[in-house]
Amino acid sequence: MGNKYKYGLVLSGGGTRGFAHLGAIKALEEEGIKPEIISGVSAGSIVGALYADGQGAETALKALISKNLLGLLKLIIPRTGLLKMTGFERTLKKTLKAKRFEDLEIPLLTHAVNINTVEYTQFDKGDLIQAIKASSSIPIVFPPVEIDGYQYLDGGIVNNFPVEPLVDKCDTIIGINVNPVGKEDKINNLKTIAIRSFHLSMRNHAESRKDKCHIYIEPEELEKFGILDLESAKEVFQIGYKKAKEVLKKR
């Protein structure tokens, strides 16, 4: 008996580098590859939700740019996070047709860390937008998200490349990692230190798990982009597209 799904897609975290996920998905679409289940974390949960919601790669890119996904983030007094997610939730509500996981066209698995119980938690049912917010709350940069009385942060803290839920369920697992770590010359503020520390904690997640993928895509050029760099969205999208085309051509 074969696996339940033909194609499964794993989407890593990486902030606005996640626009490269959309570029790679465009390349998959052109090859006639349509994932039937998605496991994503942080930025991967956002892109995964858009795709599972039935939106094509370029449509999703235009929607996120036009609605200014990060433009309404506000600096707050550092109590639980440096930036408030003002506008982020509003953007998701305007962009996504689905409000619950059950409303999506294809199954989506998102991941966050319960900082009360110190457990890596998978969300695959119920309120979609709260789960995406929880999965995307980078420590220190964003405050924790409360769900059912528990506080959650970005799942990338524990596993920034959640391939395990798809193992033995898919004939072909496609993994996209948008979080290569390069050299950073200017480290001169708390936000940069927080983001850099987060990157370092995640750097080996994909490396140790990429062998579980049948197709693995990692655009090295993304090293030069920050994870809150919305202005480079189109360039990042093209980098993801180009790298995916190269990988798919060789398979």
Side-chain angles (χ1 to χ4, degrees):
M1 186 174 179
N3 292 309
K4 185 175 182 179
Y5 305 103
K6 183 175 181 181
Y7 292 111
L9 182 62
V10 183
L11 301 175
S12 78
T16 49
R17 292 176 178 180
F19 286 110
H21 283 318
L22 290 172
I25 287 172
K26 178 185 176 184
L28 294 176
E29 290 174 342
E30 292 178 352
E31 293 293 320
I33 298 173
K34 183 174 176 58
E36 298 166 356
I37 185 171
I38 301 170
S39 178
V41 66
S42 199
S45 72
I46 300 170
V47 172
L50 289 167
Y51 187 77
D53 199 42
Q55 301 189 35
E58 293 201 25
T59 301
L61 175 68
K62 290 176 183 176
L64 291 178
I65 292 175
S66 66
K67 291 182 173 64
N68 202 359
L69 181 65
L70 296 174
L72 295 175
L73 292 174
K74 291 184 178 178
L75 188 67
I76 58 176
I77 297 172
R79 183 180 175 187
T80 56
L82 294 174
L83 295 173
K84 187 177 180 181
M85 282 180 152
T86 305
F88 181 73
E89 183 172 358
R90 193 180 313 154
T91 297
L92 290 176
K93 286 180 178 178
K94 289 180 180 178
T95 306
L96 291 166
K97 299 189 299 289
K99 305 306 176 190
R100 299 175 62 81
F101 283 89
E102 293 86 348
D103 301 329
L104 295 168
E105 294 183 10
I106 61 176
L108 172 69
L109 316 174
T110 68
H111 305 85
V113 176
N114 184 324
I115 57 175
N116 296 104
T117 64
V118 200
E119 293 177 321
Y120 188 68
T121 305
Q122 176 175 295
F123 293 96
D124 54 19
K125 59 177 68 72
D127 191 310
L128 177 62
I129 292 173
Q130 283 299 103
I132 294 172
K133 282 178 58 184
S135 183
S136 305
S137 293
I138 300 171
I140 303 177
V141 179
F142 298 120
V145 174
E146 183 173 330
I147 298 176
D148 296 332
Y150 291 103
Q151 300 288 318
Y152 291 89
L153 284 173
D154 195 312
I157 301 170
V158 174
N159 182 357
N160 197 48
F161 195 71
V163 65
E164 288 85 353
L166 303 189
V167 173
D168 296 328
K169 292 182 180 177
C170 307
D171 293 334
T172 301
I173 298 176
I174 303 161
I176 307 174
N177 175 37
V178 298
N179 196 52
V181 180
K183 183 180 178 182
E184 177 64 60
D185 293 321
K186 295 181 180 180
I187 302 178
N188 53 15
N189 60 65
L190 183 57
K191 187 176 78 171
T192 300
I193 292 170
I195 291 172
R196 192 70 177 168
S197 299
F198 191 53
H199 271 156
L200 292 172
S201 74
M202 297 187 299
R203 69 183 304 167
N204 292 323
H205 294 179
E207 190 65 29
S208 64
R209 293 174 169 86
K210 67 181 183 181
D211 289 343
K212 298 181 186 296
C213 298
H214 302 93
I215 300 172
Y216 181 74
I217 300 166
E218 181 181 284
E220 297 85 0
E221 290 182 58
L222 295 178
E223 288 181 353
K224 62 184 180 181
F225 296 95
I227 65 170
L228 296 177
D229 182 5
L230 190 65
E231 293 181 359
S232 301
K234 291 182 179 178
E235 185 178 356
V236 168
F237 178 94
Q238 288 300 325
I239 288 171
Y241 174 77
K242 178 183 174 184
K243 182 63 177 182
K245 293 292 276 190
E246 290 176 3
V247 172
L248 293 171
K249 188 176 181 180
K250 296 176 182 177
R251 72 186 181 101

